[in-house]
Amino acid sequence: MLQDAIERVKGVGEKTATLFHKEGIFTKEDLILGFPISYREYPAPVLIQQARDKEWMAFSGVLKEDFRGNSGNAKGFLFAKVFDQSGEIILQYFHAPYIRKVLKKGMQFVFFGQVREFKGSLYLQQAKYFSPEEYREKQRCLEAIYSGTKGMKSYVRRKAIAEIFKEDFRYPDLFSEADLERLSLRNKKESLRLLHFPRNFKEREEGRRRFAFEELFFYSLYLEKEEKEYKKVKETVLYQEGEEEDFQSYFPFALTNSQKNCITEMNRELLEKKRIFRFVEGDVGSGKTVIAFYLLYLTMKRKKQVAFMAPTEILARQHYENALKLFPNGIALLLGSTSLKEKKRIYKDIAEGKILGVFGTQSLIQELVHFQDLESIIIDEQHRFGVKERRKLEEKGKFPHALFLSATPIPRSLAKLLYGSLPLSVLQEKPADRLPIKNALIHKEEQGKAFSFILEEIQKGRQAYVICPMIEENENLEVESVLSYEKLLRKSFPENVRISVLHGKMKAEQKEEVMEAFKQGKTQILLSTTVVEVGVDVGNATVMLIENAERFGLAQLHQLRGRVGRSALQSYCIFLDRKDDEKSRERLEIIKNSNDGFSIAKEDLRLRGPGDLFFGERQSGDLQFHMADPILDEALFRDARLEAERILKQDPNLERHEKLQNAFLKMLEADCP
Ligand code: ADP
Ligand code: MG
């Protein structure tokens, strides 16, 4: 019955169903598996005199007058005052002519909304209004908010989900009641209810835990499988003693000890005819690419095939271009944006073994890509991919040598859970010639100062990044967008300073042109969204200004900052905080005071409250878990790992655990986004 079409839900008509379809929701199950992105907590009503700018608050008050204003004009603002024994606040609505009819002078309601202070008056914009009883009812539960990008309103979704929960459906669990009890987990159905309709954050956390456990459990099953498979003997030996010296001669610098150690270990494994299967961890700028290129070099020198996957087109291209310096022939770049004709040529050449090294994004794991004989794979920024993608690339060859690079700063105990007994190299040190990045945290009034500083660097022959959170302006948000910022920069800098713009919606060729010009120093300021977040390497860029720094997660800020400080030049990073309240300042102080990814991550965790545990940045990007946060859920991760080990010990191929096996295979085979 959960397979029923969404139209079968009470109250879902054709129009609503169409909206659901646009969100990819077709069945009742799709609907209940779409988790909220956040929750609204209805606070207890307070006296109007306690109103504070920017806060979400509730007031119980009486309308002092009927609504005034013109609902007919473009903006259509309507106003009315509300009072209680302590003061007055002005209700403000736009695009809401009906409000005149429902809210009238003398009526009493509880109003909930965000307070705004403007020229000494208090406003409540687009407030929701409730009878006191209704409001008490609201306060009993957290209200789930769903993502709904295509015109779908959260309350429509909430209502439909509530209807499903009124029906008595069965939702089979992968684990028995006894197992769940032993693991202190709720069953799946109950957990779903707690996620959609929690009474408080504690209940929501219980619901989340169940789904987080499942993710960590499947990850652990997968890891066990990898641990078993990695010990394969390879027939060809990729390495000959002394070869690393030849490799070194391609680089103008001496390798760091960490890099050397990692290469030595790989050499030893190769001489023993072992399969290389190695995770390489190191903070931004520690020089992980050199390691990847070593495997690329050994493989291609023996005319064997290697696939090199990166999460963004810009990064894949950068690696490709660097590889051209080592191997001018026999390599190709395969991107989503590559023309069909070119793709076909590349597919053919890969299958025939004419192309040895292929660089790309997820385009490399598409079904049409067949290698003649894939000897090695490399995944850069591997935490950006899930195990599915890792698997898919591996399966393009027969147990290929594999290197996985990532900059996720993780504690040792977690490394054990994430990589088990698989080889791990940690690049501890940065190249010796690096100076620590100098950081500044400023508020919006100091923007001009930041611009002057950037100009000084440019006059010394350096280049700068300016990062904005958005591409286009959004009138509802006070957030800097690349497109409007461009005008500001052009006004603020002399005409001979060349500024270029980069964002995700640009065509691939345009992006390429802009990146190329910046790399060659033809432009001085690169104004960009976070598309440059990972991997991009331009040593002459020494300043970064991050606008609306408060809108980014700390790990993301650290990655962004990693775009400067990539050469012997002194580099600077300026974080501009537009929120400028105590909490945001405290958080940004962390990144200002430290250049060490690991200690930043630790501090970040310490600061998080129960309200933001759920949708922290790590879920969205790093490590590819949706509900689990491997760092916060370390204990749960350990349980999941033990459970996976326990089951596999009794039943190595999961033959006696059919449901589990099916779910596991389904996960591995699912299409990658
Ligand atoms: P990440 O670990 O962030 O991927 P990269 O591999 O991109 O870092 O290296 C950052 C920069 O440092 C690159 O320009 C690279 O050429 C340079 N680099 C790498 N190793 C060394 C070294 N041993 N000495 C000096 N510079 C190095
Ligand atoms: Mg890198």
Side-chain angles (χ1 to χ4, degrees):
M1 88 128 248
L2 280 180
Q3 298 317 313
D4 286 351
I6 197 79
E7 285 88 342
R8 300 275 294 274
V9 179
K10 199 172 146 199
V12 174
E14 210 173 300
K15 226 170 103 193
T16 314
T18 313
L19 286 176
F20 275 127
H21 294 169
K22 279 192 200 152
E23 301 275 338
I25 296 168
F26 295 91
T27 64
K28 290 180 181 173
E29 185 173 16
D30 293 342
L31 185 60
I32 58 171
L33 286 181
F35 299 137
I37 49 163
S38 65
Y39 296 85
R40 178 174 292 135
E41 205 175 359
Y42 286 95
V46 294
L47 289 175
I48 291 174
Q49 71 181 14
Q50 286 169 276
R52 292 239 321 262
D53 190 28
K54 292 197 183 105
E55 288 208 16
W56 290 84
M57 303 177 95
F59 309 98
S60 176
V62 176
L63 280 148
K64 194 174 172 182
E65 58 197 346
D66 284 332
F67 272 87
R68 308 169 265 123
N70 184 355
S71 54
N73 70 16
K75 285 262 168 164
F77 278 114
L78 288 171
F79 301 92
K81 279 185 187 150
V82 164
F83 69 96
D84 66 9
Q85 78 252 35
S86 73
E88 291 185 349
I89 192 164
I90 303 165
L91 298 177
Q92 186 184 37
Y93 290 91
F94 45 95
H95 301 312
Y98 58 88
I99 223 75
R100 283 179 194 274
K101 300 207 180 94
V102 279
L103 300 184
K104 287 185 177 292
K105 181 175 172 182
M107 289 180 165
Q108 175 156 20
F109 285 98
V110 176
F111 297 93
F112 170 75
Q114 191 182 25
V115 175
R116 275 295 146 108
E117 202 177 328
F118 185 67
K119 292 194 176 155
S121 297
L122 292 167
Y123 292 82
L124 208 53
Q125 292 171 336
Q126 301 291 91
K128 292 173 182 275
Y129 48 91
F130 307 91
S131 71
E133 302 78 56
E134 275 174 333
Y135 194 75
R136 268 195 296 279
E137 195 53 38
K138 281 273 169 204
Q139 281 184 280
R140 286 159 49 112
C141 224
L142 296 180
E143 191 171 88
I145 297 170
Y146 300 88
S147 73
T149 44
K150 314 211 166 64
M152 169 62 62
K153 295 264 188 341
S154 270
Y155 74 86
V156 177
R157 224 161 137 161
R158 218 160 35 232
K159 237 180 77 198
I161 294 170
E163 283 301 330
I164 297 177
F165 273 92
K166 276 189 207 156
E167 304 169 23
D168 187 27
F169 66 89
R170 268 173 43 81
Y171 201 59
D173 206 294
L174 290 172
F175 303 99
S176 70
E177 284 296 328
D179 286 341
L180 290 170
E181 169 108 34
R182 179 170 47 81
L183 296 161
S184 315
L185 294 171
R186 301 280 198 128
N187 69 35
K188 221 163 171 171
K189 180 173 173 184
E190 181 59 13
S191 304
L192 279 170
R193 199 182 58 72
L194 293 178
L195 279 173
H196 290 295
F197 308 104
R199 271 177 303 195
N200 47 47
F201 283 106
K202 195 167 155 277
E203 285 198 347
R204 183 215 54 185
E205 171 57 15
E206 276 189 64
R208 184 196 70 89
R209 244 176 80 86
R210 169 64 185 79
F211 286 91
F213 180 85
E214 193 162 316
E215 278 179 12
L216 297 167
F217 173 77
F218 278 128
Y219 181 88
S220 303
L221 277 187
Y222 181 71
L223 191 66
E224 289 267 325
K225 202 173 156 70
E226 269 187 333
E227 283 182 290
K228 248 190 283 165
E229 287 174 355
Y230 105 86
K231 294 182 189 131
K232 289 276 169 192
V233 175
K234 303 291 282 186
E235 281 152 34
T236 43
V237 178
L238 275 195
Y239 165 73
Q240 243 179 8
E241 225 146 307
E243 222 172 339
E244 64 273 23
E245 278 147 40
D246 181 34
F247 172 72
Q248 159 83 72
S249 70
Y250 284 95
F251 298 92
F253 46 73
L255 300 190
T256 65
N257 285 328
S258 292
Q259 287 168 327
K260 278 190 205 152
N261 291 343
C262 181
I263 285 179
T264 306
E265 276 182 68
M266 285 163 60
N267 290 342
R268 205 186 50 232
E269 288 173 315
L270 289 170
L271 285 176
E272 290 171 11
K273 290 199 167 188
K274 280 192 182 146
R275 176 184 182 203
I276 300 240
F277 195 98
R278 183 170 287 274
F279 292 87
V280 181
E281 291 270 345
D283 209 347
V284 271
S286 57
K288 296 181 288 293
T289 320
V290 170
I291 309 294
F293 270 55
Y294 184 56
L295 181 61
L296 177 96
Y297 166 83
L298 293 180
T299 310
M300 285 197 55
K301 217 175 134 190
R302 288 171 177 75
K303 302 266 181 280
K304 299 202 161 283
Q305 290 186 303
V306 47
F308 197 134
M309 184 159 83
T312 65
E313 298 206 342
I314 292 173
L315 188 52
R317 178 176 296 279
Q318 179 178 289
H319 289 318
Y320 166 73
E321 280 167 2
N322 285 331
L324 279 175
K325 293 175 202 154
L326 271 75
F327 298 99
N329 300 307
I331 65 176
L333 180 65
L334 180 63
L335 303 173
S337 60
T338 304
S339 75
L340 204 60
K341 197 171 144 215
E342 174 76 352
K343 271 186 190 155
K344 281 190 183 154
R345 182 191 68 82
I346 296 176
Y347 293 154
K348 188 161 166 282
D349 287 355
I350 295 175
E352 292 173 2
K354 284 188 198 144
I355 289 174
L356 296 176
V358 52
F359 295 77
T361 51
Q362 291 200 337
S363 50
L364 294 184
I365 53 177
Q366 303 310 312
E367 261 171 53
L368 291 167
V369 181
H370 298 284
F371 288 83
Q372 189 187 48
D373 184 13
L374 183 60
E375 179 78 9
S376 306
I377 65 169
I378 294 157
I379 303 185
D380 193 14
E381 309 285 343
Q382 79 97 17
H383 53 285
R384 290 282 185 123
F385 298 98
V387 292
K388 268 185 302 199
E389 285 102 330
R390 196 150 108 199
R391 179 105 199 141
K392 290 223 152 117
L393 193 59
E394 271 180 66
E395 285 178 346
K396 299 275 176 202
K398 293 180 213 96
F399 303 110
H401 292 296
L403 275 183
F404 308 109
L405 318 182
S406 101
T408 323
I410 47 167
R412 201 185 282 270
S413 51
L414 187 61
K416 201 87 206 103
L417 290 164
L418 277 171
Y419 309 129
S421 60
L422 298 170
L424 169 69
S425 296
V426 182
L427 303 189
Q428 299 280 6
E429 58 197 320
K430 293 211 170 160
D433 59 358
R434 298 294 145 85
L435 298 166
I437 297 171
K438 292 190 176 160
N439 302 299
L441 175 56
I442 64 173
H443 18 204
K444 52 179 186 260
E445 292 75 32
E446 296 168 294
Q447 189 187 50
K449 267 195 349 220
F451 288 174
S452 325
F453 183 78
I454 291 175
L455 186 60
E456 275 172 39
E457 282 293 296
I458 289 173
Q459 282 160 347
K460 283 190 227 158
R462 311 279 173 259
Q463 291 162 280
Y465 294 99
V466 176
I467 307 293
C468 290
M470 306 235 280
I471 302 175
E472 281 162 274
E473 228 163 331
N474 177 331
E475 53 179 312
N476 293 327
L477 290 171
E478 291 171 63
V479 175
E480 292 301 337
S481 70
V482 165
L483 296 182
S484 59
Y485 216 75
E486 185 184 356
K487 291 185 205 133
L488 175 70
L489 287 182
R490 292 205 193 278
K491 260 200 327 229
S492 314
F493 283 84
E495 259 176 38
N496 62 356
V497 173
R498 275 155 314 206
I499 300 167
S500 57
V501 173
L502 187 70
H503 60 72
K505 283 196 182 155
M506 281 161 54
K507 290 223 177 73
E509 307 98 79
Q510 275 177 303
K511 275 193 248 176
E512 182 190 328
E513 241 169 72
V514 168
M515 250 351 275
E516 199 47 43
F518 189 64
K519 256 184 213 168
Q520 293 179 4
K522 289 183 186 153
T523 53
Q524 279 88 41
I525 299 181
L526 182 62
L527 172 62
S528 170
T529 56
T530 56
V531 290
V532 292
E533 182 183 340
V534 286
V536 170
D537 188 45
V538 180
N540 190 48
T542 54
V543 206
M544 173 174 276
L545 167 63
I546 305 179
E547 260 293 345
N548 287 107
E550 78 282 357
R551 295 188 57 91
F552 297 99
L554 289 187
Q556 197 179 11
L557 288 172
H558 181 61
Q559 276 287 330
L560 279 167
R561 174 173 61 187
R563 295 318 109 217
V564 295
R566 296 177 84 82
S567 65
L569 300 166
Q570 175 64 56
S571 290
Y572 308 88
C573 189
I574 308 165
F575 302 95
L576 196 150
D577 177 7
R578 286 197 175 259
K579 195 154 181 213
D580 208 17
D581 64 15
E582 215 173 297
K583 229 175 119 187
S584 118
R585 183 146 287 257
E586 189 184 359
R587 207 173 64 94
L588 292 171
E589 287 280 346
I590 295 175
I591 189 129
K592 181 194 144 194
N593 293 331
S594 173
N595 285 323
D596 172 44
F598 186 39
S599 66
I600 291 167
K602 270 200 306 206
E603 283 293 297
D604 196 10
L605 285 180
R606 194 180 55 76
L607 272 192
R608 291 210 226 160
D612 27 69
L613 285 185
F614 205 171
F615 302 101
E617 61 204 78
R618 261 195 301 281
Q619 278 80 23
S620 56
D622 281 12
L623 301 170
Q624 288 295 307
F625 293 102
H626 300 290
M627 300 297 267
D629 183 330
I631 296 188
L632 286 173
D633 290 329
E634 197 177 319
L636 191 69
F637 201 168
R638 198 164 295 123
D639 289 351
R641 188 82 214 268
L642 289 174
E643 189 63 8
E645 280 170 15
R646 191 182 69 80
I647 291 175
L648 288 174
K649 211 166 179 178
Q650 305 162 350
D651 183 13
N653 298 314
L654 296 179
E655 283 148 356
R656 283 178 284 126
H657 291 79
E658 209 184 323
K659 255 191 295 180
L660 262 184
Q661 191 188 37
N662 287 339
F664 184 49
L665 290 178
K666 207 166 120 189
M667 180 201 85
L668 287 182
E669 277 157 20
D671 279 337
C672 302

